[in-house]
Structure formats: C-alpha cells, structure tokens
Amino acid sequence: MITLVFAHAENGVIGSDGKLPWHLPADLKRFKALTLGKPMIMGRKTFESFPAPLPGRRHILLTRDADWSAAGAEVAHTVEAALALAGGDVSVIGGAEVFRLFEDRADCAEVTTIWREYEGDAQFTLDAGRWQELAREDHAAEGERPAYSFFTLTPRR
C-alpha cells in the first residue's frame, strides 16, 4: 500500500524555503497518526526540513546523489529501490518531485487542503481526474487560522 500524505494550500503551495508556510496543529497531529510506525519515503530537502528524524518511523531518502548520507536515513536512488527498502505499507511524504514520481503508483492519498493562498517555491496538486473522494472532514476558519479540510482519496480505476 502506497499512501501519499501531504498538505497544500488552495493554490497548490506545499512549501516555502524548506518549510510549511502555515502552522496547523491539527494537520501535524494527523500527519503523525498517519505515518507513525511506517516507513516514509521522501526527498532530501524534505528530510533536511526536519530538526531531527521523526521518532517511530523509518526515513527512506530518494536521492540522485550517490554520496549523500545522514544519520537516521536509509538511502535509495530509484523508486523501485525505495519501495524495496520500505517492504510494504509506506507513506510518501514529499516533496513535490517525489510526489510526482509516486502519484501513478499510489493506492491512496491523505490530503489536507488549507483554504487560503500562500506564497511558496514548491507546489503539488493531484490530477483531479485520476482521483475520487472517499472521505472528507471540513474545519471552519477560527481567528487567524484558515479553514481547512482533510481528504482521503483513492485513484479512479
């Protein structure tokens, strides 16, 4: 089972200078619940955006750099090698280029949409024609926090 796990703004932004352009505690809690105990496949920039490896999860890094290594990371140089390292149920957590590599192979997508536009240098949205909504949970704006929705999507077969 390959699950894409990501949050994006209404305009498709997923990151700005290696960070999330918003602070949404409910999304961080959901991310932890979805990924805890599972291997996660990510790109180097995503890994380097964490202050340290996230506890309770394996970090599989997909990189073209044959010399790259970091404590707490398992390195793969191809999609197939990353999946072989994962060995089963895996969360793909970014960035945009990695999501694009796995979109056609994914069995599910767990997406948070923040209903506000943000500035950013990384963007990703799923091909809407390829995915169908399985579940949705909407949350209204509150104070400075924008409205957001949690989606569970599956590919149209």
Side-chain angles (χ1 to χ4, degrees):
M1 174 87 157
I2 299 170
T3 303
L4 305 178
V5 181
F6 67 96
H8 66 158
E10 195 170 6
N11 60 341
V13 168
I14 63 170
S16 179
D17 294 324
K19 296 183 171 117
L20 295 174
W22 51 79
H23 178 68
L24 194 59
D27 178 56
L28 298 174
K29 183 177 178 181
R30 182 172 189 250
F31 176 85
K32 181 177 182 179
L34 290 167
T35 61
L36 197 61
K38 295 182 183 175
M40 301 182 304
I41 296 175
M42 69 199 81
R44 178 189 49 80
K45 290 178 188 174
T46 298
F47 180 78
E48 291 175 348
S49 73
F50 301 140
L54 302 176
R57 291 155 267 206
R58 288 176 52 214
H59 297 69
I60 300 171
L61 270 286
L62 187 57
T63 179
R64 290 181 289 270
D65 185 347
D67 296 325
W68 190 90
S69 67
E74 301 170 60
V75 178
H77 302 293
T78 66
V79 168
E80 291 73 21
L83 290 171
L85 275 173
D89 195 7
V90 63
S91 296
V92 176
I93 65 163
E97 188 175 340
V98 174
F99 288 133
R100 287 183 194 100
L101 289 171
F102 283 90
E103 183 177 3
D104 289 343
R105 297 173 182 240
D107 302 294
C108 181
E110 296 289 352
V111 181
T112 300
T113 300
I114 294 97
W115 298 111
R116 180 181 289 170
E117 292 191 3
Y118 287 86
E119 297 279 324
D121 55 14
Q123 294 187 330
F124 179 74
T125 54
L126 293 169
D127 176 355
R130 291 196 58 247
W131 294 85
Q132 60 189 357
E133 188 177 307
L134 193 62
R136 176 181 181 151
E137 183 181 316
D138 294 318
H139 299 268
E142 191 174 292
E144 292 296 310
R145 191 203 71 215
Y148 61 95
S149 299
F150 296 143
F151 293 94
T152 299
L153 307 171
T154 56
R156 295 183 194 277
R157 305 269 186 216

